[in-house]
Amino acid sequence: EAGVTQFPSHSVIEKGQTVTLRCDPISGHDNLYWYRRVMGKEIKFLLHFVKESKQDESGMPNNRFLAERTGGTYSTLKVQPAELEDSGVYFCASSQNINQPQHFGDGTRLSIL
Amino acid sequence: QKEVEQNSGPLSVPEGAIASLNCTYSDRGSQSFFWYRQYSGKSPELIMFIYSNGDKEDGRFTAQLNKASQYVSLLIRDSQPSDSATYLCAVNMSGGATNKLIFGTGTLLAVQP
């Protein structure tokens, strides 16, 4: 069974540009989560999808971040325009249902110059 | 006060010894507790989860939970050099609509051959 897949693994962009991260959850997992780890800090929750619906987006930093999960399969996280403080590792996780443990992808390392 | 606290380490143990990793949490409503192992540049990998007070054993790993004292620990018996990684403690308040994980900063474990 394939795990959670994230693309790209690394992205380097300039301040003010737009970047889109993609996450493919484990097949059959309705729950999809985005997290972020900035330098020296703990991994922090961004938002939670149940199928295509946003269940909890309390961790989204500001309106420069837009997450979508059209069709309830893969998800994208777009940052527009990117700022220096957005640098970090963005993780995606999925679970079959809300009571099951979450399984993580390898993350996308985002560097804003 | 951080919501989930871990000693950042490094915790150094000799091969074959027992490694003891500790985690405290601030929210008494937390109901589910997870230990993830993360190798550098890789995804957090779930190794144990525990929901009830007491011990839960799985191979060389034992998770211990004490809700009254608000701590959860992970014991690794017969430590191997391959166990060297960062161990992340995570908690959530399951039972509600949100299933977000709150992470500690992680403890770096170094097993010396």
Side-chain angles (χ1 to χ4, degrees):
Chain A
E1 177 184 76
V4 176
T5 305
Q6 294 188 243
F7 181 83
S9 57
H10 292 86
S11 181
V12 181
I13 63 170
E14 293 187 348
K15 174 183 173 181
Q17 290 186 321
T18 298
V19 62
T20 300
L21 314 181
R22 173 169 169 148
C23 169
D24 287 76
I26 293 171
S27 178
H29 282 196
D30 287 340
N31 293 267
L32 186 149
Y33 312 82
W34 283 99
Y35 292 84
R36 176 174 76 169
R37 184 169 197 165
V38 297
M39 182 72 75
K41 301 287 188 180
E42 66 274 19
I43 296 173
K44 285 198 170 181
F45 170 83
L46 296 178
L47 90 161
H48 170 204
F49 282 100
V50 177
K51 296 185 180 179
E52 66 274 11
S53 299
K54 292 176 184 175
Q55 187 72 21
D56 180 356
E57 51 185 329
S58 62
M60 294 289 265
N62 51 60
N63 59 10
R64 295 186 293 104
F65 290 75
L66 176 63
E68 295 181 317
R69 193 183 182 195
T70 306
T73 55
Y74 71 90
S75 174
T76 59
L77 178 65
K78 182 164 71 173
V79 185
Q80 180 183 29
E83 298 290 344
L84 296 178
E85 64 265 25
D86 301 333
S87 294
V89 182
Y90 289 75
F91 290 103
C92 177
S94 71
S95 66
Q96 192 166 25
N97 60 54
I98 199 170
N99 295 314
Q100 293 294 312
Q102 298 173 31
H103 298 272
F104 282 74
D106 284 346
T108 293
R109 183 172 296 277
L110 178 62
S111 298
I112 313 299
L113 305 180
Chain B
Q1 180 189 14
K2 289 186 178 180
E3 294 178 277
V4 177
E5 295 211 48
Q6 297 180 256
N7 188 321
S8 61
L11 173 66
S12 183
V13 299
E15 184 175 356
I18 296 175
S20 177
L21 303 157
N22 300 311
C23 171
T24 59
Y25 59 95
S26 61
D27 192 338
R28 285 192 175 275
S30 300
Q31 297 188 17
S32 306
F33 306 85
F34 304 86
W35 283 99
Y36 287 85
R37 177 178 64 197
Q38 187 177 25
Y39 296 109
S40 180
K42 293 297 185 181
S43 62
E45 174 193 2
L46 180 69
I47 53 173
M48 290 288 287
F49 59 91
I50 186 168
Y51 302 142
S52 304
N53 274 329
D55 295 359
K56 178 181 178 182
E57 186 175 319
D58 183 1
R60 295 186 297 112
F61 299 99
T62 299
Q64 299 175 316
L65 174 61
N66 184 323
K67 289 187 177 180
S69 300
Q70 294 175 246
Y71 85 79
V72 57
S73 62
L74 179 70
L75 301 179
I76 306 174
R77 289 180 298 281
D78 188 23
S79 296
Q80 301 298 308
S82 59
D83 294 327
S84 299
T86 296
Y87 288 80
L88 302 168
C89 172
V91 308
N92 74 6
M93 294 178 59
S94 48
T98 184
N99 196 33
K100 64 182 180 183
L101 293 177
I102 310 297
F103 281 87
T105 52
T107 298
L108 179 62
L109 173 66
V111 181
Q112 307 299 326

